[in-house]
Amino acid sequence: MKVVIAPDSFKGSLSSRQVCVAIGKGIKRADPSVEIVAIPMADGGEGTVDALMDSLGGHKVIAEVKDPLFRDIKAQYGLADKDETAVIEMAAASGLALLSDMERNPMKTTTYGTGQLIKDALDRGCRNFIIGIGGSATNDGGIGMAAALGAKFYDWDGNAIELNGGGLLKLDAIDLSQLDPRVAESRFRVFCDVDNILYGSTGAAYVYGRQKGADDAMIEKLDMALKRLSEIIERDLNKSVALVPGAGAAGGLGAGLLAFLDAKLEKGIDILMETIGFEERIKGANLIITGEGRMDHQTKYGKTISGIIEAAKKQGIPVVGICGSIGDGVEELYSEGLNSVFSIINRPMSLEESMVETSELLTSTAQNVMSLFMANVSQP
């Protein structure tokens, strides 16, 4: 019996790697003879580096960078053993989790630290980059990131603008003449699992600004700033990025990566599965157990679990989901190929209690799932 464990993280509680360990314990309690293949998954946010490093091999390094409010911090990223590849989570330097609720303000936050991580990897000889852009605290269109690599951004009087969402309102000129020449020698692949355009009602500011601390008035200004950025990019760089799906990801960092680094925006699950050889690793499996903190109607739209279900369906492997909570519309996944879904909550409890007990709750649920599956398999 071969069982693949391929979950996303339970955000705020356990990494995808820790989820694998907890589910694996439950499977072994049900049947110690089961062969387990653990494949931690990620969608570009927290856990992306770990998920790729598990398969690529390599190690993490630490760089001193600026956080979203230009304070000095230390951030990690991954260096793979092959192909001079760096795996970077922008959230490590420019993420919302680095700020308190009171500090959230996308008019003031920057992606400068993300650019510093890229520069550090260039200094170490990397020329292939995989960048996850989930969990951002920013709305600067990537100008901070580009400035850390040598790009210049000026206002109408020829003065350097602030490298944040507010600074974009004054943008009048872009100069890439001093951009690090090693950028042109490099390849940038970007985990991008949203299709938001840069500005407008489905753009970065209107869709994601509020969770980053913006009120209605601020959202309107941020949207105007991103529109301004797209106009200057088109005029000065002769590139049209505003309507590219994913340009609005991470507060417009998607657009900035396109415009300043000639990056390619790709579905994160596609990058991950290709890189780790997912379809090959699940061959011969009798069952795949996946999961995330919450499964609902959004799970099917380009997320990790939908990619897993699709890959499993090709090989006729049943898929069971284990999650913290089950929301409306999860039944839509059954028509996609999901066989069943189970919540780990086994009694009335608060969110705080469930997060503290997530590991053991995962283990007990996995034990129940595996026992049921084995009973079904043993039937004539």
Side-chain angles (χ1 to χ4, degrees):
M1 180 69 66
K2 175 181 176 180
V3 177
V4 173
I5 309 172
D8 202 342
S9 65
F10 279 49
K11 290 181 174 57
S13 184
L14 297 179
S15 68
S16 54
R17 182 185 292 172
Q18 291 170 322
V19 174
C20 284
V21 171
I23 292 176
K25 288 180 180 178
I27 292 172
K28 288 296 187 180
R29 284 181 186 177
D31 186 342
S33 69
V34 172
E35 175 193 352
I36 293 175
V37 177
I39 311 177
M41 304 296 284
D43 61 4
E46 179 184 0
T48 299
V49 171
D50 287 339
L52 286 168
M53 287 297 99
D54 279 346
S55 297
L56 292 175
H59 60 283
K60 292 181 181 178
V61 296
I62 298 175
E64 293 188 2
V65 301
K66 299 295 184 183
D67 81 349
L69 294 175
F70 291 94
R71 298 173 298 202
D72 293 329
I73 61 168
K74 293 182 178 180
Q76 291 186 332
Y77 66 93
L79 288 179
D81 285 337
K82 60 179 182 179
D83 300 331
E84 299 176 330
T85 298
V87 183
I88 294 172
E89 295 172 16
M90 74 86 64
S94 313
L96 199 60
L98 298 173
L99 305 179
S100 69
D101 289 348
M102 295 296 293
E103 292 173 330
R104 296 182 180 186
N105 185 339
M107 292 288 282
K108 297 183 179 299
T109 49
T110 184
T111 56
Y112 191 85
T114 298
Q116 289 179 299
L117 289 178
I118 294 172
K119 184 178 185 303
D120 189 83
L122 288 169
D123 291 343
R124 295 175 188 267
C126 293
R127 296 297 182 268
N128 294 308
F129 290 81
I130 299 174
I131 303 177
I133 57 175
S136 79
T138 57
N139 208 97
D140 72 352
I143 62 170
M145 175 275 302
L149 294 168
K152 305 294 182 184
F153 301 91
Y154 300 107
D155 64 15
W156 296 274
D157 297 320
N159 299 314
I161 65 171
E162 291 185 87
L163 301 171
N164 52 31
L168 278 181
L169 287 167
K170 302 177 181 179
L171 179 65
D172 189 58
I174 299 172
D175 178 8
L176 299 187
S177 63
Q178 297 180 57
L179 188 69
D180 193 317
R182 297 172 296 181
V183 168
E185 304 168 359
S186 303
R187 178 191 185 201
F188 297 89
R189 303 178 71 191
V190 181
F191 268 69
C192 188
D193 282 334
V194 301
D195 57 6
N196 302 87
I197 59 176
L198 184 57
Y199 63 86
S201 61
T202 59
Y206 277 101
V207 176
Y208 302 108
R210 196 169 303 281
Q211 71 189 44
K212 300 176 185 182
D215 57 22
D216 289 344
M218 192 185 298
I219 287 172
E220 186 174 347
K221 288 182 179 179
L222 290 167
D223 191 65
M224 290 171 55
L226 291 173
K227 183 178 181 182
R228 178 69 179 168
L229 173 64
S230 72
E231 293 170 347
I232 303 300
I233 287 173
E234 191 156 1
R235 187 197 70 193
D236 290 0
L237 305 182
N238 196 30
K239 294 180 179 179
S240 182
V241 299
L243 300 181
V244 176
L253 177 60
L257 288 163
L258 285 168
F260 309 132
L261 305 189
D262 287 325
K264 183 179 180 182
L265 306 185
E266 303 179 46
K267 279 189 176 182
I269 188 62
D270 292 345
I271 297 176
L272 183 64
M273 285 186 163
E274 175 191 330
T275 303
I276 68 177
F278 186 82
E279 293 194 6
E280 183 65 29
R281 293 175 70 181
I282 67 173
K283 281 184 178 178
N286 301 94
L287 175 68
I288 295 177
I289 297 178
T290 186
E292 61 182 351
R294 178 180 174 84
M295 292 178 66
D296 55 26
H297 68 281
Q298 296 184 31
T299 304
K300 66 181 289 186
Y301 295 107
K303 298 293 185 179
T304 301
I305 290 176
S306 63
I308 292 167
I309 292 170
E310 183 178 347
K313 192 174 182 179
K314 293 178 183 177
Q315 299 186 32
I317 305 170
V319 181
V320 171
I322 297 178
C323 61
S325 63
I326 301 173
D328 294 337
V330 73
E331 64 276 0
E332 296 175 17
L333 292 168
Y334 294 143
S335 62
E336 302 294 318
L338 182 70
N339 292 85
S340 189
V341 60
F342 297 85
S343 170
I344 64 174
I345 304 303
N346 60 8
R347 67 182 189 279
M349 64 176 65
S350 67
L351 175 62
E352 291 73 20
E353 287 177 303
S354 68
M355 292 181 73
V356 169
E357 299 180 36
T358 299
S359 182
E360 181 53 39
L361 290 170
L362 276 167
T363 296
S364 61
T365 304
Q367 180 179 0
N368 292 335
V369 167
M370 196 64 209
S371 296
L372 179 62
F373 183 76
M374 294 295 294
N376 183 63
V377 169
S378 66
Q379 293 298 315

